[in-house]
Amino acid sequence: MEGAELAVQVLGTWLALVLSLILLPSAFGVSLGISETYIKILVKTLEWATLRIQKESPKESVLKMSASSGIIQRDESPMEKGMSGHRGRDFELSDVFYFFKKGFEAIVEDEVTQRFSSEELVSWNLLTRTNINFQYISLRLTMVWVLGVIVRYCFLLPLRITLAFFGISLLVIGTTAVGQLPNSSIKNWLSELVHLTCCRICVRSLSGTIHYHNKQYRPQKGGICVANHTSPIDVLILTTDGCYAMVGQVHGGLMGVIQRAMVKACPHVWFERSEMKDRHLVTERLREHIADKKKLPILIFPEGTCINNTSVMMFKKGSFEIGGTIYPVAIKYNPQFGDAFWNSSKYSMVSYLLRVMTSWAIVCDVWYLPPMTREANEDAVQFANRVKSAIAVQGGLTELPWDGGLKRAKVKDTFKKEQQKNYSKMIVGNGSINTESD
């Protein structure tokens, strides 16, 4: 009996601390400075670890730093510039070596598939999750790593699971209860309060530290918010600072329970799998949503898949055919504290969440960009590319023309033909055959 009473007391004390120090401040959007202090300690610790590695094994450190920037060193100048020196003269057999070089570079390390794996770090963050495994460096560094494992798995993980349980439970119960009320301004206010509170609790469960910039450009009701996509937690990151109407496919299991509860309190746009294939139906439903200026802004990730936060890939044009005002948002995670990228082809949702919850923290910057509208002489593809460029520049991300769907699908034949045409234009120069050499 004494053991049972002690367990009850420990559990009660634990829940009381969680409620008073985390849950209540989250509900009111107040920070007690615990996360900020924790991040400062982490920064000092990781800086010490980096200096220790450089001191104990300088050669190994240099190798890891060079490897983190890529497998090979390549000439980043465009092919048009490289081909300029080969035009206006007779063909020589040595000319093919330039194309051999470019071909081998693409085979060894192309610019697409590396975006679907975790970003390599320049310095070790005391997590055994880098592509280059760090071996034994020193006894002191190993002891710090072991202490970090104990802290992450024995203290932070139970705390984060507790917070996530409370956040998800309150979201389901709160949205279900609010959904029973008649449509009114009070219902909308309560719905936004429930969403904000629960998302803040869930972000605390990841030890999330988010820095929002240019808040005067936050998405407004009746608009469309588009952002680069790294992880499912992108939704939590953005909803912590404002509510959105979600767009997505209907799921089963726990995700389905959450979706059905949320849509009762807020006009989220969920589609069945069969409806997602009908682009016109999806576009029509989204147009109906943004036509009502009292409804929350729609949150869309035009890439359609998760990218490892080093680049922005092709934006699907469907989001830019709807009309209305586009509010671009750039999200940039700091991989030094934890990898937010979800490689869905390698990890299940449960495995991914476990990895995130056993990381040090999730630290990111969010930039709200000025609203953009489609110009008169601009089609949907050009508008999508303009928005994508703005997000890439603000977030310090590499802009790529490739479709993120290449993660699971082959390159379309039409895209191959387009690249072949561009390739032939580069060879002959200006898109026409050079007749002077004939």
Side-chain angles (χ1 to χ4, degrees):
M1 293 296 294
E2 292 181 359
E5 292 178 358
L6 179 61
V8 171
Q9 290 179 356
V10 171
L11 180 60
T13 304
W14 173 262
L15 294 178
L17 291 174
V18 170
L19 178 65
S20 59
L21 297 180
I22 301 178
L23 290 181
L24 289 179
S26 299
F28 293 100
V30 177
S31 175
L32 300 180
I34 299 175
S35 297
E36 290 77 5
T37 303
Y38 170 66
I39 293 298
K40 289 180 181 179
I41 296 174
L42 268 182
V43 170
K44 294 294 183 182
T45 304
L46 296 178
E47 288 177 351
W48 172 85
T50 301
L51 293 175
R52 196 72 185 178
I53 293 173
Q54 294 175 349
K55 179 180 178 181
E56 297 289 342
S57 185
K59 292 183 179 181
E60 186 177 359
S61 177
V62 171
L63 287 174
K64 295 182 192 306
M65 291 180 65
S66 61
S68 65
S69 60
I71 299 174
I72 58 176
Q73 291 184 350
R74 65 170 74 197
D75 182 10
E76 298 294 343
S77 60
M79 289 188 67
E80 290 87 343
K81 183 177 179 181
M83 285 296 302
S84 60
H86 297 274
R87 299 193 186 107
R89 60 178 177 80
D90 293 335
F91 172 79
E92 297 179 3
L93 185 60
S94 60
D95 293 343
V96 301
F97 287 112
Y98 175 78
F99 299 102
F100 280 159
K101 175 176 174 291
K102 288 292 184 180
F104 282 127
E105 286 177 351
I107 293 173
V108 174
E109 187 180 33
D110 68 276
E111 64 179 3
V112 178
T113 55
Q114 61 178 306
R115 312 299 174 177
F116 304 138
S117 60
S118 296
E119 178 183 2
E120 184 59 54
L121 302 178
V122 174
S123 59
W124 189 33
N125 61 354
L126 300 179
L127 297 173
T128 55
R129 299 173 188 172
T130 51
N131 296 333
I132 305 174
N133 293 321
F134 279 80
Q135 298 177 354
Y136 175 83
I137 301 295
S138 69
L139 177 61
R140 188 178 300 179
L141 192 61
T142 302
M143 291 176 63
V144 171
W145 175 78
V146 171
L147 178 61
V149 171
I150 295 173
V151 170
R152 288 187 289 112
Y153 283 87
C154 299
F155 176 72
L156 292 180
L157 181 59
L159 173 62
R160 291 168 176 173
I161 291 176
T162 302
L163 292 174
F165 174 78
F166 274 109
I168 295 174
S169 300
L170 289 175
L171 179 64
V172 173
I173 296 172
T175 51
T176 301
V178 172
Q180 306 307 313
L181 300 175
N183 291 330
S184 63
S185 58
I186 295 178
K187 178 181 178 179
N188 294 336
W189 178 78
L190 289 174
S191 173
E192 293 183 20
L193 178 63
V194 170
H195 280 83
L196 282 173
T197 301
C198 296
C199 287
R200 286 168 179 167
I201 293 174
C202 290
V203 168
R204 297 288 176 93
S205 71
L206 305 175
S207 298
T209 300
I210 314 167
H211 306 285
Y212 297 97
H213 309 274
N214 307 326
K215 287 192 175 185
Q216 69 271 22
Y217 298 132
R218 279 190 295 189
Q220 302 298 314
K221 292 183 177 181
I224 302 173
C225 174
V226 298
N228 57 302
H229 197 24
T230 304
S231 160
I233 65 176
D234 293 340
V235 176
L236 296 177
I237 297 298
L238 294 177
T239 309
T240 300
D241 193 47
C243 288
Y244 298 88
M246 312 297 175
V247 178
Q249 181 179 307
V250 175
H251 293 274
L254 177 61
M255 186 62 70
V257 173
I258 297 174
Q259 285 182 321
R260 289 191 293 273
M262 290 173 62
V263 78
K264 293 178 181 179
C266 181
H268 299 291
V269 185
W270 306 130
F271 297 95
E272 297 290 345
R273 183 181 295 273
S274 58
E275 294 178 326
M276 288 295 289
K277 296 179 181 178
D278 190 346
R279 196 177 72 181
H280 297 289
L281 177 61
V282 174
T283 302
E284 187 61 30
R285 288 189 61 182
L286 294 179
R287 281 202 181 106
E288 292 176 359
H289 184 98
I290 65 173
D292 188 347
K293 300 305 179 183
K294 294 181 180 180
K295 290 185 177 180
L296 295 173
I298 296 176
L299 176 59
I300 299 178
F301 300 104
E303 289 170 299
T305 189
C306 295
I307 311 299
N308 71 355
N309 208 226
T310 62
S311 62
V312 182
M313 303 191 78
M314 186 182 77
F315 277 10
K316 304 291 194 302
K317 67 177 182 178
S319 307
F320 303 89
E321 294 175 329
I322 302 171
T325 304
I326 298 293
Y327 294 88
V329 176
I331 306 174
K332 179 61 178 177
Y333 292 91
N334 189 336
Q336 189 67 28
F337 302 97
D339 184 17
F341 169 60
W342 181 34
N343 188 348
S344 56
S345 60
K346 186 176 181 180
Y347 300 106
S348 65
M349 176 61 76
V350 176
S351 299
Y352 166 74
L353 291 177
L354 181 62
R355 287 172 60 86
V356 172
M357 286 189 171
T358 53
S359 297
W360 292 116
I362 295 297
V363 179
C364 72
D365 288 273
V366 175
W367 289 274
Y368 298 111
L369 280 71
M372 304 173 69
T373 55
R374 184 171 166 181
E375 298 177 354
N377 60 343
E378 201 173 36
D379 60 26
V381 174
Q382 293 172 332
F383 185 29
N385 289 334
R386 183 159 62 91
V387 174
K388 183 184 72 170
S389 297
I391 291 176
V393 171
Q394 181 62 76
L397 306 169
T398 303
E399 184 181 357
L400 297 176
W402 300 94
D403 186 355
L406 293 174
K407 179 190 291 188
R408 299 180 180 86
K410 295 182 178 180
V411 180
K412 295 180 180 179
D413 291 335
T414 55
F415 197 86
K416 290 181 181 179
K417 292 179 180 179
E418 181 181 350
Q419 295 301 311
Q420 289 169 354
K421 289 180 180 179
N422 294 335
Y423 176 73
S424 63
K425 289 179 180 179
M426 283 188 290
I427 293 179
V428 300
N430 299 324
S432 60
I433 299 176
N434 190 348
T435 56
E436 294 180 1
S437 59
D438 295 335

